[in-house]
């Protein structure tokens, strides 16, 4: 067969660029990702870096990104020509990391994937630990109160005994 190429057809064809969150790094995890994924991190693993990129064959000079960690960031955060974001000392909880891209800073295209993060709550912030701590604290306070009352009773009895003995001697 005969093949032909019309260069004019390229000028009128819309080229769509794609954005992908492609890597996550933390103390315990270094993982390449290609689709929406979920990660469960320990309570000590609270520093996370997300890497993302755009595949684009257009002649634009700048690439604008906006990212958001739902559950922490109240609104989108804008950066220019940067391909990684680091979060330090994240509190325990569930988060969703999202990215979107633009070349004109007006029209935004969402990334093809999202990353879900779950950071475990430390044991000392768990309900069972707090409850057992309160029980131990209240038990200690109750034992201390009982011991104080016992001493007061013993002292009262000693004073009454002394008074009674002095009264008998007279």
């Amino acid at each position: 067969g005969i093949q032909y190429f019309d260069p004019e057809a390229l000028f009128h064809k819309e080229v769509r660029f794609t954005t992908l969150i492609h890597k996550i790094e933390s103390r315990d995890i270094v993982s390449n990702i290609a689709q929406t994924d979920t990660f469960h991190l320990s309570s000590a693993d609270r520093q996370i870096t997300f890497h993302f990129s755009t595949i684009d064959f257009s002649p634009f000079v700048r690439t604008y990104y906006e990212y958001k960690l739902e559950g922490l960031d109240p609104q989108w955060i804008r950066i220019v020509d940067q391909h990684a974001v680091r979060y330090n000392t994240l509190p325990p909880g569930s988060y969703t990391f999202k990215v979107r891209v633009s070349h004109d800073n007006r029209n935004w295209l969402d990334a093809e994937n999202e990353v879900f993060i779950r950071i475990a709550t430390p044991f000392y912030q768990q309900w069972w630990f707090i409850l057992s701590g309160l029980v131990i604290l209240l038990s200690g306070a109750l034992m201390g109160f009982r011991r104080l009352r016992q001493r007061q009773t013993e002292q009262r009895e000693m004073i009454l005994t002394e008074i009674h003995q002095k009264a008998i001697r007279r």
Side-chain angles (χ1 to χ4, degrees):
I2 298 176
Q3 294 182 2
Y4 68 93
F5 173 70
D6 181 12
E8 285 293 317
L10 290 176
F11 291 108
H12 303 294
K13 186 167 186 130
E14 182 179 325
V15 177
R16 181 181 167 152
F17 55 97
T18 59
T19 302
L20 187 69
I21 304 166
H22 63 83
K23 187 175 183 180
I24 180 174
E25 292 178 327
S26 72
R27 188 187 78 178
D28 298 335
I29 296 173
V30 175
S31 179
N32 292 320
I33 51 178
Q35 57 193 16
T36 297
D37 209 343
T38 301
F39 295 92
H40 298 278
L41 305 176
S42 69
S43 60
D45 197 4
R46 301 175 3 172
Q47 182 176 354
I48 303 170
T49 304
F50 297 98
H51 299 270
F52 45 89
S53 59
T54 300
I55 299 171
D56 184 13
F57 302 106
S58 62
F60 294 103
V61 176
R62 290 227 173 274
T63 303
Y64 299 92
Y65 291 99
E66 286 187 338
Y67 66 91
K68 182 179 193 179
L69 188 61
E70 288 184 347
L72 182 70
D73 297 330
Q75 56 195 6
W76 291 95
I77 299 167
R78 186 167 297 163
I79 54 177
V80 179
D81 296 331
Q82 184 177 333
H83 301 282
V85 173
R86 169 173 269 159
Y87 286 91
N88 296 313
T89 62
L90 287 172
S94 297
Y95 304 99
T96 303
F97 183 72
K98 297 180 176 186
V99 173
R100 58 188 187 183
V101 65
S102 174
H103 285 303
D104 59 7
N105 207 10
R106 287 179 296 223
N107 301 309
W108 295 92
L109 180 66
D110 291 332
E112 293 183 0
N113 63 341
E114 298 175 346
V115 178
F116 300 101
I117 300 290
R118 170 83 175 108
I119 300 176
T121 303
F123 74 92
Y124 56 85
Q125 291 180 350
Q126 299 278 345
W127 68 269
W128 55 266
F129 185 83
I130 294 169
L131 182 62
S132 51
L134 286 173
V135 167
I136 290 169
L137 183 67
L138 289 175
S139 298
L142 183 61
M143 286 174 47
F145 181 71
R146 283 185 180 169
R147 180 69 182 138
L148 179 65
R149 293 212 50 198
Q150 184 181 7
R151 282 186 185 172
Q152 287 176 344
T153 304
E154 289 172 0
Q155 287 177 351
R156 187 178 311 123
E157 287 177 3
M158 284 177 48
I159 292 171
L160 288 175
T161 304
E162 283 182 31
I163 292 174
H164 183 59
Q165 287 177 353
K166 285 182 183 178
I168 293 177
R169 288 185 202 155
R170 285 187 191 179

